[in-house]
Each structure stands twice: as structure tokens, then as C-alpha cells.
Amino acid sequence: MSFDVQGLKFDDKGLIPAIAQDETSGEVLMMAWMNAESVERTLQTGRVTYWSRSRQSFWVKGESSGHVQELVDFRVDCDRDCLLVVVRQTGPACHTNRRSCFYTAVREGEEIELMKPMHG
Amino acid sequence: MSFDVQGLKFDDKGLIPAIAQDETSGEVLMMAWMNAESVERTLQTGRVTYWSRSRQSFWVKGESSGHVQELVDFRVDCDRDCLLVVVRQTGPACHTNRRSCFYTAVREGEEIELMKPMHG
């Protein structure tokens, strides 16, 4: 079956959540949003391209930082309202310079920092 | 630092996306939504509890199917607007009986089914 971006379920702002997972470690790196055109750009270019809600513009991940995400596999969930992009991540995925945005755990009511910023 | 559920950023419907990841395989199983009380219930009970947008009610994952998600680790992202729950999953996570909801890949414009429904 051919993939049709219009078959995805976008929310009332025209957006769909996209989870980025590291192809090697399996680590969940981040979650951001895509609109129909960022889905198409991601598939066409192989560079993961989100829609920045704060800047209201396309966000080619790593375009300014160099911390690009090369698309390895693009997946759609059963309800077609969430995406999973498996990526080859250069450098840290998080703007805090940590490998993943999910570096805070909640254990017994306390917040625990699981990883430190990367160097360089 | 103590965790305060009110420090999370909920959307205009009072919801926050929660990604479930299998503790053993690292596989991303599903994404669903939580409100403040489902976050608290998840942390208190150790049973992952979403908010069903279609039914407008709490959804203790597996309550009817038996395909429960036991909470192993609860994580918050850098922006505090997305959650990652690491879980011990009993049976399939997806309502289609597949291990993960992300069983469809898009490759060269075609949809590919990556996994079949589980038996039993």
C-alpha cells in the first residue's frame, strides 16, 4: 500500500507527535511535532524535520547545532496519530547537550538526573 | 528535588503525551495521554494509567485485556511537556494484538507491516 501523508491524523493545529529513537542504542531521544509538510520533507530528504511550535517554522534538526538526525526508519502507529522516527543521531539530541531529553527520572517522589551534558 | 506534578506542562486540554518503552527490548510500544491525576495514579499504583480521550475516562492499561504495564521507571523530558514510562509489558501493547503500536514502516513510499499479531 502506498503511503499517503493525508492519511495521518493531525490534531486541531495540523500537528502529529514524532518520537525519535536512536537506531543503535534504542534509546528514546526526544519527542517533537511534525505537520504534513515536515513529514514529506523528512521522507524526501532523509533529514528529520520537525515543526517548531514556538518559532512557527520548519526545524531541520541539527541545522544550527550540527546535531542532525539522519532518518533510518519511519513508522506510523495503529491509530495513525503518532510517528516514530528511528534515527542516526550526531551528538546530543537534547538542547541541554544531553544524549536524550529524558534525563530526569522520578523515583520515590524525587527527581534524579540520569545523565550529564556531553562534552565538545 | 521533589517531583511536583503541577510542574509538568499540560496542553490546553490538560494532557501530556506519555511514551511507553519496553524495559527489556527497548522497543517503543505506544504513545498515549495522561492528565495530572493519571500521572499521580501511575506513580502511586505502579500500574501505567492513561487518560482516554475518546472515552474521557481513566484507562488503566490492561485492565480489561490483561495486557498490563507495570511501571519500571518514570521520566520527564527537558521541557517537562512529555513523559517516558519504561514498563514491564504483559502481552501485546497494541489493541491489534501486536507487540508495539508502531508496526507500520514507510519505505520508498510504501507501507510495510513489520510485525504480526501475537497468538493467545
Side-chain angles (χ1 to χ4, degrees):
Chain A
M1 192 172 120
S2 269
F3 172 71
D4 180 359
V5 69
Q6 297 307 331
L8 296 176
K9 283 186 208 138
F10 297 95
D11 70 9
D12 50 10
K13 298 182 183 74
L15 301 175
I16 188 169
I19 302 160
Q21 183 180 30
D22 187 278
E23 66 150 346
T24 309
S25 66
E27 194 166 26
V28 176
L29 299 173
M30 57 182 286
M31 194 283 275
W33 297 81
M34 292 188 181
N35 60 13
E37 192 175 337
S38 50
V39 169
E40 286 174 332
R41 291 188 184 198
T42 297
L43 288 168
Q44 280 162 16
T45 63
R47 281 287 187 91
V48 179
T49 303
Y50 302 102
W51 177 256
S52 168
R53 296 177 302 170
S54 55
R55 286 179 279 125
Q56 289 286 303
S57 61
F58 292 103
W59 167 27
V60 183
K61 173 70 182 160
E63 198 171 38
S64 55
S65 65
H67 301 151
V68 297
Q69 291 181 338
E70 191 183 333
L71 183 68
V72 175
D73 207 18
F74 185 97
R75 298 184 192 158
V76 179
D77 82 343
C78 52
D79 292 332
R80 297 184 174 269
D81 63 2
C82 188
L83 304 172
L84 176 66
V85 287
V86 180
V87 303
R88 196 164 299 131
Q89 171 73 52
T90 299
C94 185
H95 73 288
T96 67
N97 256 13
R98 290 173 176 86
R99 213 166 58 238
S100 159
C101 294
F102 296 95
Y103 57 82
T104 305
V106 177
R107 296 178 185 166
E108 296 172 2
E110 294 294 314
E111 294 194 6
I112 312 288
E113 188 184 304
L114 300 178
M115 59 194 91
K116 295 284 178 193
M118 291 168 77
H119 297 291
Chain B
M1 193 174 119
S2 270
F3 172 72
D4 179 0
V5 68
Q6 297 306 330
L8 296 175
K9 285 186 206 138
F10 297 95
D11 70 10
D12 51 12
K13 297 183 185 74
L15 300 175
I16 188 168
I19 301 160
Q21 183 180 33
D22 188 279
E23 67 149 346
T24 309
S25 65
E27 193 167 25
V28 176
L29 299 174
M30 58 182 284
M31 194 283 274
W33 298 80
M34 292 190 182
N35 60 13
E37 192 175 337
S38 51
V39 169
E40 286 175 331
R41 289 188 185 198
T42 296
L43 288 168
Q44 280 162 16
T45 63
R47 281 287 187 90
V48 179
T49 303
Y50 302 101
W51 176 256
S52 166
R53 297 177 301 171
S54 55
R55 286 180 278 124
Q56 290 286 302
S57 61
F58 291 103
W59 167 27
V60 183
K61 173 71 183 160
E63 199 173 38
S64 55
S65 64
H67 302 150
V68 297
Q69 291 181 338
E70 190 182 334
L71 182 69
V72 175
D73 208 17
F74 184 98
R75 298 184 192 157
V76 179
D77 82 344
C78 52
D79 292 331
R80 296 183 174 269
D81 62 3
C82 188
L83 304 173
L84 176 67
V85 287
V86 180
V87 303
R88 195 165 299 132
Q89 171 74 51
T90 300
C94 184
H95 74 287
T96 67
N97 256 13
R98 289 172 177 88
R99 213 166 57 236
S100 158
C101 293
F102 297 95
Y103 56 83
T104 305
V106 177
R107 295 178 186 166
E108 295 172 4
E110 294 295 315
E111 296 195 4
I112 311 287
E113 187 184 305
L114 299 178
M115 60 193 91
K116 295 285 179 192
M118 293 167 74
H119 296 292

